Every structure is written in structure tokens, then in C-alpha cells.
């Protein structure tokens, strides 16, 4: 068994698909399948359950995953130190889909402070040594360091009749169509703040990052983190605070137990713990500072 077997295992575990895993590590599907079979034979355990579509890790596979992730990260960190470019540490960071521009800029500034310069991999979602995610998505066994904070505002089309208001009151919003995400931690408090103006049959979105383009197209208003306005096409939306409703979107680094034992994650976490939280600053041209 060598690092090649562990990389094949990690790719399959994280993608849930032999085909996608083979594409990720740039091998053919038969080669990856053979590598997984060799690993399972060496360990004497089945690591995946084969399904009609994709694979699912067995209990043994779930036990192996954190150890394999640590060993591969240590191997990559060790080999990076001997690259011609000089001293380097390995670091992989998963970016949650709803980690908005403000939070990602906070991460970018933080990475610029990490020394030695990390050999960085940016991954999608729940992958990597640690991840940039919302505070409410932190798992019970994870550590968390807050990086950024921004207000949650009412987003509406730039040509909406209420766009000229500097601050919106619940009565202003009577009868308005809404797009909501009921799973978000602020949803219940928004409904309470709106009172009698709360929407009866709002449209539902799976995540706040989906909302800006739909708001811009005129399908309803939405409560979203301020920086997500950048996701709307051609600046077709505006943000307005809701009177009496003060809610913040907090984003930071989530990391598993043992992350501090790896050089890359330890350097980033240490820098984050010493840095000031990046609080939202309204652009000078904004007509509605909080």
C-alpha cells in the first residue's frame, strides 16, 4: 500500500463516484478500480458499497477516511518542502457554496499572511483540510474561527417601487412576494419581524446564493447577506435594511479534530486566530448604510 492507493480512496470517498474520482486524479476508470481493489485486499475489508449509481463508503471506509486524509496531507507537505521552489507547506481549503464574496476576500487576505507560502488547493464544498463555511454549519466535533461578518438585508430589484426607501418597515412590505430559504437560521426571526406582512405562500430557494438572480428577474424580495448582491446580473438589485431587524451572517474556518497537527492548516488557523474579524463596510456610494 502506498500514497497512490490512499489518493484513489480519498477521491472516491469525496466524489461518491468511481468515474468522477478517476477524472479527479487523472487516471482511467479501470486503473482506479484496480487500485481500490488492491487497497481493499491489503486491508482485508470492503471500503465501499457498490450502488446502481456511484458508491457509498462502508463503516470501515468511514473509519479509514480521516486517517487517509491526514497521511496524504502529511505526504504532500513533506514532498513540497523538497520542491525546487523552496520551503512550502501543503494546504487544501473547501469553499462552501454560500460563502459569499466578503468572506472569500477575508480568506484571501488571511492566506497572504501565512508563512511559508502554502501550496494551496481550493476545493468545492465539504472537502480539504478545513473549509470556509457559515457559523451555523459548524459540526459538533469541529473547531471554528470567525473570519467575517456582514448584515443580512432585504434585496429587491433596482426598479422596485420600494427601492427609493433608505430603510424598509414591515408595513412597507405588506403584500410583497418573497423568496425564502426556510433552513436558514434567521428565517424564523424574519417572519416574526415582518409580523402581519409575512408572506403567506413564498417561493422557496435551497440556498441564499440562488436568490440574487431571481430577485433581479422580479420573482420576489429576499433576505440575503449583503455581499451576495454581487451575484446579481448587471447590478440589478439593491439592498435595504429592515427596521428593527438586526441579523448578521457569520463565516469562518471549520476544521476537524487533528487539523492543528498538520503544518498547513495549523498555520492558517493560527493566522486566523490572531487576525481581526472582517466586518462589513458599505461602499461609499451605497444609499442605505446600516
Amino acid at each position: 500500500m502506498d500514497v497512490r492507493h490512499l489518493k484513489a480512496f480519498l477521491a472516491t470517498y469525496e466524489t461518491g463516484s468511481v468515474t468522477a474520482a478517476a477524472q479527479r486524479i487523472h487516471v482511467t476508470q479501470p486503473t482506479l478500480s484496480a487500485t481500490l481493489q488492491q487497497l481493499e485486499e491489503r486491508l482485508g475489508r470492503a471500503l465501499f458499497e457498490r450502488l446502481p449509481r456511484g458508491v457509498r463508503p462502508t463503516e470501515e471506509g468511514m473509519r479509514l477516511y480521516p486517517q487517509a486524509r491526514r497521511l496524504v496531507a502529511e505526504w504532500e507537505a513533506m514532498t513540497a518542502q523538497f520542491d525546487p521552489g523552496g520551503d512550502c507547506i501543503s494546504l487544501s481549503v473547501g469553499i462552501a457554496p454560500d460563502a459569499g464574496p466578503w468572506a472569500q476576500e477575508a480568506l484571501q487576505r488571511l492566506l497572504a499572511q501565512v508563512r511559508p507560502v502554502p501550496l494551496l488547493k481550493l476545493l468545492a464544498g465539504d472537502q480539504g483540510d478545513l473549509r470556509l463555511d457559515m457559523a451555523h454549519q459548524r459540526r459538533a466535533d469541529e473547531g471554528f474561527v470567525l473570519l467575517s461578518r456582514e448584515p443580512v438585508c432585504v434585496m429587491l430589484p433596482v426598479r422596485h417601487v420600494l427601492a427609493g426607501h433608505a430603510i424598509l418597515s414591515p408595513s412597507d412590505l405588506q403584500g410583497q412576494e418573497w423568496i425564502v430559504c426556510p433552513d436558514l437560521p434567521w428565517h424564523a426571526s424574519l417572519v416574526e419581524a415582518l409580523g402581519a406582512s409575512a408572506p403567506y405562500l413564498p417561493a422557496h430557494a435551497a440556498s441564499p446564493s440562488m436568490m440574487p438572480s431571481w430577485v433581479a428577474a422580479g420573482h420576489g424580495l429576499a433576505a440575503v447577506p449583503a455581499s451576495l448582491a454581487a451575484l446579481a446580473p448587471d447590478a440589478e438589485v439593491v439592498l435595504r435594511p429592515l427596521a428593527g431587524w438586526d441579523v448578521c451572517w457569520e463565516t469562518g474556518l471549520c476544521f476537524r479534530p487533528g487539523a492543528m497537527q498538520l503544518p498547513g492548516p495549523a498555520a492558517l488557523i493560527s493566522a486566523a486566530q490572531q487576525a481581526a474579524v472582517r466586518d462589513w463596510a458599505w461602499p461609499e456610494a451605497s444609499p442605505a448604510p446600516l
Side-chain angles (χ1 to χ4, degrees):
M1 181 174 64
D2 57 35
V3 71
R4 175 175 55 91
H5 294 91
L6 295 180
K7 287 183 175 181
F9 166 75
L10 290 174
T12 306
Y13 188 102
E14 292 172 355
T15 62
S17 163
V18 172
T19 301
Q23 293 173 348
R24 177 190 283 193
I25 62 175
H26 308 294
V27 299
T28 65
Q29 183 174 333
T31 297
L32 185 130
S33 296
T35 303
L36 289 176
Q37 184 177 354
Q38 292 169 5
L39 179 60
E40 290 179 322
E41 290 175 352
R42 176 66 179 83
L43 297 177
R45 297 286 189 277
L47 301 175
F48 295 101
E49 178 185 354
R50 275 64 177 178
L51 304 174
R53 290 188 177 182
V55 296
R56 179 170 57 202
T58 62
E59 183 177 346
E60 288 78 8
M62 288 187 281
R63 286 173 52 200
L64 176 62
Y65 177 75
Q67 301 175 65
R69 165 58 62 192
R70 176 178 56 81
L71 289 170
V72 169
E74 289 178 348
W75 169 263
E76 291 178 343
M78 181 187 70
T79 55
Q81 294 179 26
F82 296 93
D83 282 349
D87 291 343
C88 189
I89 54 176
S90 176
L91 176 63
S92 59
V93 182
I95 307 295
D98 291 322
W102 189 252
Q104 293 194 44
E105 288 175 16
L107 175 62
Q108 292 161 9
R109 295 185 180 195
L110 192 64
L111 285 166
Q113 303 172 25
V114 175
R115 293 294 182 273
V117 176
L119 180 62
L120 180 64
K121 291 183 180 179
L122 296 178
L123 305 172
D126 189 11
Q127 301 182 55
D129 302 320
L130 32 67
R131 73 181 188 282
L132 182 68
D133 208 342
M134 285 62 69
H136 71 276
Q137 296 287 15
R138 171 191 179 184
R139 301 187 183 97
D141 65 339
E142 287 184 320
F144 181 81
V145 182
L146 180 63
L147 293 190
S148 70
R149 189 164 38 219
E150 57 186 289
V152 178
C153 303
V154 178
M155 178 182 287
L156 57 161
V158 70
R159 295 180 180 83
H160 194 280
V161 65
L162 296 176
H165 292 221
I167 299 176
L168 299 174
S169 68
S171 60
D172 292 331
L173 300 171
Q174 182 75 42
Q176 296 295 322
E177 298 292 331
W178 281 81
I179 306 168
V180 302
C181 187
D183 293 334
L184 291 174
W186 66 70
H187 177 71
S189 69
L190 174 64
V191 172
E192 182 179 354
L194 290 174
S197 298
Y200 178 62
L201 290 173
H204 285 197
S207 71
S209 60
M210 299 172 64
M211 295 178 176
S213 62
W214 289 86
V215 172
H219 290 279
L221 313 185
V224 298
S227 71
L228 292 192
L231 302 182
D234 302 320
E236 288 294 317
V237 298
V238 294
L239 298 167
R240 297 293 181 262
L242 176 61
W245 191 60
D246 185 15
V247 175
C248 284
W249 181 249
E250 296 184 330
T251 308
L253 293 174
C254 299
F255 52 94
R256 302 179 181 90
M260 291 296 288
Q261 299 176 15
L262 303 176
L268 182 59
I269 293 168
S270 177
Q273 290 171 335
Q274 298 176 48
V277 175
R278 189 173 189 234
D279 282 307
W280 177 257
W282 286 98
E284 292 184 5
S286 172
L290 291 180

